Amino acid sequence: MSDVARSRNVSIGVLAVALSAAIVAVLTLAHPAAAATTLRGLAEADGRYFGTALTDGDLNISGEMNIANVQFDMVTPGNEMKWDTTESRQNSFNFGPGDQIVSWAKAHNARVRGHNLVWHAQLPGWVNSLPGSQVKAAMENHITTEATHYKGQLYAWDVVNEPFNEDGSLRQDVFYNNDGGSAYIADALRTARAADPGAKLYLNDYNIEGQNAKSNGMYNLVSSLKAQGVPIDGVGLESHFIAGQVPSSLQANMQRFADLGLDVAITELDDRIQLPASSSSLQQQANDYAAVTKACLAVTRCVGISQWGVDDGHSWIPGTFPGYGAATMYDNNYQPKPAYNSTVSALSSVTNSSSSTPTTTPSTTPSSTSSTLPNTYCKVVDEVNGWNTGLTESITITNTGTLPIENWRMVFTLRPGQTITSGWNANYSPNSGQVTATNVSYNGSLPPGGSTTIGFQATHTGDAGAATGFNLNGATCTTG
Ligand code: XIL
């Protein structure tokens, strides 16, 4: 055998080894057990997410990030998108800190819950000092500017945070007092929808997890908003619990919101323990985390769970509730606690029962990082037929998750020079650049595995290529 032939054989041998390694890698990823090793993987296997709150400070703490980079596929900025950071002086906006959280999410294939646009707390003094007649415009300007800055990048917005008193009446804050009482909430929701039609719009509050006067107030409010056609997509239950006090009505309470046609989410979960923690209080906490997880999984429209922070060492609890702490699933040394194990088992029990019929198509081109998991929300197949001055494009959207998708909004970007002249099976706006396609009456619900095909005709000035960047309800879709 010549040297050339021998070296070619060696290369083929090396290639064969590399190929079989790649096949093993693909098979490993494709196996449901691969997803079963992390909170996010287990949640994704059930069509949901598992998130955390992160501050910009957290991004520099390697112990926390070693966990966050792997375990969580949703992030809520702990403080960075609040009014006191984003508009500390009137009309002077700072999105740098929030942008860093969004960058982390992009780099880790995670989505973002925007938190928050309107809240009585962490509100700069100038808002409360405004003449009353200027408050409505200042609120609308704040919402429009911030939601426009993050347009297309967020899964959801907490549009109004903590609007209720404990008795179920609305808090009489500067917005309530100067923008029509309860009407300020509808105003805020409509303003947010206009600025970012792709984000799910939420009202978020604490002590509304069980059925009580406060959650009744929320229930009555969102019922009436729905009846009036005000854009509202979900209710966030903060879930800052005390160990042993998770309300037994949690699941039924989430279900009654879901029955109104709303998503629900556990948005800020922690479970504080009177210090020092003992093995029995840690076991109680493990039972609580499992109960919360099971309640969410039992409600089809519970879209996911977010813990407030990564670990006990950086949680907000000790600073806010003196004498309490140890509220998260990871201890001060970044080690998983019993609550982590119980959460994993709760997620696994549901995932295992449905794993015989996987509903997601595993990626055949695995990324090199183990934290990149298959997309489990949506898939897009698009076809373009072009001629010298025009084209038609047909886009098939498939729900690849296990939850129904209701009232979808698909965002994509047309090639420069393309202008939509007519469309079908969706409403398209604007007709060039970044377009939002909104469902029409008959294709708004996509059951798991369900598809709809939408399309349009466009003119072009030389580039008849396909649109890019398909994003459904804030989630990037796989293509192909
Ligand atoms: C907390 C942050 O974690 C702290 O860093 C900050 O000092 C106060 O706010 N409800 C909410 C969150 O909606 O925004 C709060 O976050 C916790 C309670």
Side-chain angles (χ1 to χ4, degrees), residues 226-287:
K226 285 285 273 183
Q228 295 168 63
V230 175
I232 165 92
D233 301 306
V235 173
L237 295 80
E238 291 187 11
S239 305
H240 295 293
F241 294 124
I242 299 171
Q245 296 182 29
V246 173
S248 56
S249 54
L250 174 63
Q251 183 184 323
N253 187 44
M254 286 196 282
Q255 188 63 53
R256 70 172 171 157
F257 286 110
D259 290 344
L260 293 174
L262 294 168
D263 288 346
V264 289
I266 304 283
T267 52
E268 305 183 11
L269 178 61
D270 48 30
D271 195 37
R272 58 188 182 269
I273 290 174
Q274 203 155 12
L275 297 174
S278 64
S279 57
S280 73
S281 58
L282 290 169
Q283 185 52 49
Q284 175 64 59
Q285 181 180 61
N287 297 345

Side-chain angles (χ1 to χ4, degrees), residues 285-472:
Q285 181 180 61
N287 297 345
D288 290 352
Y289 267 84
V292 173
T293 304
K294 285 180 183 160
C296 176
L297 297 181
V299 175
T300 309
R301 295 199 68 150
C302 181
V303 293
I305 301 173
S306 301
Q307 177 171 269
W308 200 246
V310 173
D311 66 307
D312 290 347
H314 302 91
S315 151
W316 73 306
I317 291 291
T320 309
F321 301 94
Y324 285 85
T328 78
M329 291 180 280
Y330 289 91
D331 70 16
N332 291 322
N333 299 314
Y334 306 115
Q335 296 306 304
K337 294 159 59 182
Y340 174 83
N341 296 326
S342 69
T343 303
V344 164
S345 324
L347 290 167
S348 309
S349 59
V350 172
T351 307
N352 287 343
S353 64
S354 61
S355 63
S356 52
T357 50
T359 51
T360 57
T361 310
S363 167
T364 48
T365 49
S367 142
S368 53
T369 58
S370 60
S371 62
T372 304
L373 292 156
N375 187 304
T376 56
Y377 193 71
C378 51
K379 179 180 157 186
V380 159
V381 177
D382 74 318
E383 279 178 27
V384 184
N385 286 303
W387 60 94
N388 52 350
T389 56
L391 60 94
T392 59
E393 183 156 355
S394 105
I395 302 166
T396 300
I397 306 165
T398 304
N399 175 356
T400 55
T402 56
L403 289 175
I405 294 174
E406 305 282 355
N407 296 328
W408 49 264
R409 291 174 293 284
M410 165 72 78
V411 177
F412 55 85
T413 304
L414 292 176
R415 301 287 181 109
Q418 294 184 358
T419 306
I420 295 177
T421 49
S422 65
W424 48 92
N425 295 345
N427 293 308
Y428 301 83
S429 175
N431 60 4
S432 60
Q434 191 182 68
V435 177
T436 299
T438 312
N439 69 269
V440 286
S441 59
Y442 49 84
N443 65 1
S445 2
L446 295 177
S451 304
T452 186
T453 300
I454 65 173
F456 55 84
Q457 184 161 338
T459 55
H460 68 82
T461 54
D463 184 349
T468 54
F470 294 100
N471 184 294
L472 191 71

Side-chain angles (χ1 to χ4, degrees), residues 55 78-79 82 115-116 119 122 161-162 204 238 240 268 308 316:
T55 63
N79 290 309
K82 294 174 182 174
H115 178 77
N116 52 56
W119 188 25
Q122 291 182 269
N161 198 39
E162 303 185 346
N204 187 56
E238 291 187 11
H240 295 293
E268 305 183 11
W308 200 246
W316 73 306

